[in-house]
Amino acid sequence: TVGHLLHGEENLDGKKGSPEGIKAEDLTDEVWDFVFLNGPMPKKSKIPQKLMEKMRKEFRFWYPMDLRVSGKDLIQNHLTMALYNHACVWEKQPELWPKSFFCNGWLLVNNEKMSKS
């Protein structure tokens, strides 16, 4: 939800560095608490306040996720952990937990599960 603000355009893998000059070490716990947990504005951050406010606004626009669509084979691991993670991180804000999950079945080709890999 905020990666594009850190990486910039045409830099999905981050190899070009941040257009704002942000380094990994600038992304402190206080920064993430501000963005994701509505914490106070960090006092000693190298990240411009305006950018942090934009990151928070962007996150709040996209969360909570309305629907996660996935394969039924991921229920026991990925989808279960997604629920646990959201419930742990936003323990006091259940309104940020996923609203719904949809699990689809498998496509069979020649009576065998078709896979992307």
Side-chain angles (χ1 to χ4, degrees):
T1 59
V2 298
H4 66 285
L5 298 174
L6 300 172
H7 292 273
E9 301 293 323
E10 306 293 325
N11 188 27
L12 186 60
D13 61 8
K15 288 183 180 177
K16 296 178 187 173
S18 167
E20 299 282 343
I22 298 168
K23 297 183 172 92
E25 56 268 19
D26 299 335
L27 298 167
T28 63
D29 289 344
E30 292 79 18
V31 168
W32 294 123
D33 286 350
F34 174 79
V35 173
F36 295 137
L37 302 177
N38 267 348
M41 176 66 71
K43 293 184 176 142
K44 296 183 179 182
S45 179
K46 294 180 181 178
I47 301 173
Q49 181 175 341
K50 191 171 185 174
L51 180 59
M52 282 194 282
E53 289 170 350
K54 189 173 183 178
M55 290 166 60
R56 177 190 270 180
K57 183 177 178 184
E58 186 84 1
F59 171 74
R60 293 288 165 174
F61 177 83
W62 291 106
Y63 257 73
M65 82 173 112
D66 293 327
L67 176 64
R68 164 87 187 257
V69 179
S70 193
K72 67 181 182 179
D73 54 327
L74 299 178
I75 293 171
Q76 292 84 7
N77 51 31
H78 295 272
L79 301 180
T80 301
M81 287 310 296
L83 287 172
Y84 288 157
N85 287 337
H86 282 82
C88 181
V89 172
W90 292 287
E91 180 179 3
K92 295 178 181 161
Q93 292 180 288
E95 66 274 8
L96 291 178
W97 297 357
K99 298 297 180 198
S100 61
F101 286 83
F102 178 82
C103 295
N104 50 35
W106 295 311
L107 291 176
L108 299 180
V109 176
N110 297 327
N111 287 330
E112 291 186 24
K113 177 184 155 198
M114 188 171 84
S115 175
K116 290 188 273 183
S117 55

